[in-house]
Amino acid sequence: MDFTPQQAILELGDAFYDPVHAAKFPKTVLRFRNDRAAASVGLDGLSDARWTAHFGRFEPLAGSLQQPLALRYHGHQFRVYNPEIGDGRGFLFAQMTDDRGRLMDLGTKGSGQTPWSRFGDGRLTLKGGIREILATEMLEALGVETSRTFSLIETGEELHRGDEPSPTRSAVLVRLNHGHIRIGTFQRLAYSQDTENLTRLTAYVLRHYFGEDGGDDAPQRLLAHVAARTARMAARFMAAGFVHGVLNSDNINVTGESFDYGPWRFAPTWAPGFTAAYFDQSGLYSFGRQPEAIYWDVMQLASSLRLISEEEPLVAAMEAFPEIYQREVATAMLWRLGVTPRGSQHDRPLIGAIERALVETDTPIDRFFFDGFGGTLPESYGEPFAELRALLAAYEPRKGRDHPYWSDPAPCSMLIDEVEAIWAAIAHADVWSHLEAKVVAIRRMGEALA
């Protein structure tokens, strides 16, 4: 498709962002370009030189934003409200329309300091960028709506970090998102009692991300959309065995698209208490508590919208979240298992049986879905899976096992030891082939599941 630039964010006005400049990096070495994502927005035809000019030196894309914008927001961070945050090491670089007709953003990570950097250097470690590539590629293949890592460019600075060996290499990352409006964007306006801009933002989100006009009932319609989208995101996290790690309200996109990957992990087994972040000592964002955490964040949106809406319709929108989540988690898990849902009265007992069997046996999540794809478990899955096998017999496969992936000896996984091994090859020997091969393997799995 042709590149179709947009500047929709400017409709909101300068109360929502700060114009900024990208850092000047010592060098720009292209390490990853996502031509599959670029094709969806008409940018796959760029030469490597032009790619680096736009996504390493941030020369504007014709017709889109002519200066980067650091977005303003607040948020609850581990349930503590913080009014001092915003885009501190990133900015909105460009907007455009994708091949599905959606408004898309190109946002950055590690592009330099902004008014919201506080004491940070505004930079990203190369390891952090590689981890984001792996997270987004894996989640996309597993059916999770996610930002897509668009570009990673090494920048030649030595960074010092307290939680990993330093000095370490630096990079700037560009991600393709269906918007960067967060729950925290609304919280900031509610904090300052800015009802005029709260109403403007509500109309903007409805118009550009949900295709609806504003009106007196706009706040409750918006909340209903966000509740439904984020319930689906929570469900797909669970089916993927994914732990985001930092589900703060400033990290929840109102489109329900997962983004911003820091201390993420994929859980080896169905362990509800499994955490991704070493600093999450209370397990607030553990694997099994993610739906609760996301629901709590959406409640903060409801609280913010209370300034421009009656309470009762907002309560009704929130009350729909648990039912939507239950339906979506069944859909997501059965999709990964390769069978067709039969309806909630049939699907919920099956989902319960899956969870019980996985917890009881410590069966690896990826192995279970790989072996059972198409609806038939091998005989090696013994007595703890008897109930599950009986329930599964009534389901029709949605897809066969004819893709060569299903003949592999083991599933494609993304556990922490492999992440560290991929990084070690780059850090110690500048060997990138393991990362490249892993991206190919993940996309091959995605083809088999799709």
Side-chain angles (χ1 to χ4, degrees):
M1 66 168 289
D2 294 331
F3 176 62
T4 309
Q6 302 291 344
Q7 300 181 343
I9 193 71
L10 301 181
E11 298 171 13
L12 288 173
D14 58 12
F16 287 83
Y17 45 72
D18 295 275
V20 294
H21 297 281
K24 303 296 184 184
F25 299 116
K27 64 179 182 180
T28 49
V29 181
L30 179 57
R31 294 301 192 183
F32 177 79
R33 59 176 283 170
N34 190 339
D35 280 317
R36 185 166 69 171
S40 72
V41 292
L43 290 173
D44 53 318
L46 291 174
S47 67
D48 281 354
R50 292 310 306 157
W51 186 282
T52 302
H54 290 306
F55 309 126
R57 295 190 295 277
F58 296 100
E59 296 177 7
L61 290 164
S64 191
L65 302 178
Q66 294 307 292
Q67 185 168 0
L69 303 174
L71 303 184
R72 302 175 182 177
Y73 47 86
H74 290 180
H76 278 88
Q77 299 183 309
F78 284 82
R79 303 283 167 90
V80 177
Y81 193 76
N82 188 347
E84 302 296 331
I85 54 178
D87 279 342
R89 60 170 174 169
F91 49 61
L92 177 58
F93 172 62
Q95 291 187 300
M96 65 224 57
T97 305
D98 75 355
D99 54 8
R100 294 162 58 184
R102 303 182 303 165
L103 177 66
M104 303 296 290
D105 291 353
L106 285 176
T108 65
K109 190 173 184 179
S111 50
Q113 293 178 312
T114 78
W116 308 104
S117 299
R118 294 178 287 170
F119 302 107
D121 61 12
R123 271 40 175 195
L124 172 70
T125 66
L126 181 61
K127 182 179 182 180
I130 288 164
R131 283 175 49 84
E132 188 139 340
I133 292 171
L134 294 171
T136 55
E137 289 286 336
M138 194 72 178
L139 288 173
E140 183 181 355
L142 290 173
V144 178
E145 289 287 338
T146 177
S147 63
R148 302 167 80 182
T149 304
F150 196 82
S151 172
L152 184 69
I153 290 176
E154 189 168 359
T155 53
E157 296 177 315
E158 291 189 341
L159 303 182
H160 291 266
R161 296 291 185 264
D163 56 353
E164 61 182 271
S166 296
T168 189
R169 292 155 72 175
S170 58
V172 63
L173 179 144
V174 177
R175 60 165 69 100
L176 180 66
N177 256 75
H178 186 33
H180 277 84
I181 304 298
R182 311 152 190 257
I183 288 175
T185 315
F186 286 84
Q187 288 181 281
R188 172 181 164 270
L189 299 172
Y191 181 87
S192 59
Q193 301 286 300
D194 188 349
T195 56
E196 180 180 349
N197 276 323
L198 199 56
T199 300
R200 179 178 289 113
L201 180 61
T202 299
Y204 174 89
V205 172
L206 280 174
R207 178 168 61 256
H208 289 293
Y209 299 115
F210 299 104
E212 296 179 6
D213 295 328
D216 292 342
D217 64 343
Q220 50 262 40
R221 284 189 285 119
L222 171 65
L223 183 61
H225 283 304
V226 176
R229 294 284 187 89
T230 55
R232 182 174 65 185
M233 180 179 74
R236 293 186 179 187
F237 278 176
M238 299 305 289
F242 180 72
V243 188
H244 183 282
V246 192
L247 292 173
N248 297 329
S249 60
D250 59 295
N251 284 340
I252 304 297
N253 190 331
V254 295
T255 63
E257 182 183 65
S258 175
F259 78 115
D260 201 11
Y261 300 100
W264 60 268
R265 294 277 190 95
F266 282 90
T269 61
W270 199 276
F274 181 84
T275 57
Y278 69 88
F279 47 81
D280 187 8
Q281 296 176 351
S282 70
L284 180 64
Y285 298 145
S286 62
F287 177 49
R289 295 182 66 184
Q290 291 183 117
E292 167 205 337
I294 292 169
Y295 179 78
W296 191 93
D297 288 329
V298 180
M299 284 181 63
Q300 308 320 302
L301 175 61
S303 178
S304 299
L305 292 172
R306 182 66 184 84
L307 270 69
I308 57 173
S309 171
E310 295 297 323
E311 182 175 353
E312 186 175 347
L314 298 178
V315 171
M318 288 303 303
E319 288 177 342
F321 185 103
E323 177 66 28
I324 296 170
Y325 170 76
Q326 292 295 335
R327 182 174 68 247
E328 291 287 352
V329 80
T331 298
M333 290 181 72
L334 296 180
W335 175 85
R336 192 174 180 190
L337 198 52
V339 297
T340 303
R342 299 177 61 212
S344 59
Q345 64 175 338
H346 300 288
D347 297 340
R348 286 184 183 176
L350 178 62
I351 300 308
I354 292 173
E355 293 182 359
R356 285 190 296 274
L358 291 179
V359 168
E360 181 181 342
T361 62
D362 274 342
T363 299
I365 295 173
D366 296 327
R367 183 87 244 183
F368 166 76
F369 283 110
F370 180 82
D371 289 345
F373 189 85
T376 303
L377 284 173
E379 290 301 319
S380 57
Y381 284 74
E383 179 58 30
F385 290 87
E387 177 194 11
L388 169 56
R389 181 178 276 106
L391 291 169
L392 199 53
Y395 283 77
E396 294 292 329
R398 70 168 177 86
K399 190 172 182 179
R401 296 176 63 96
D402 52 343
H403 191 282
Y405 170 72
W406 303 114
S407 298
D408 289 355
C412 179
S413 297
M414 183 46 63
L415 303 181
I416 189 61
D417 288 348
E418 185 174 8
V419 175
E420 292 296 331
I422 289 170
W423 166 243
I426 294 169
H428 300 311
D430 212 33
V431 172
W432 290 80
S433 57
H434 301 305
L435 173 65
E436 294 160 0
K438 190 62 182 183
V439 171
V440 170
I442 291 169
R443 292 182 177 184
R444 177 172 173 267
M445 176 186 69
E447 293 171 359
L449 285 166

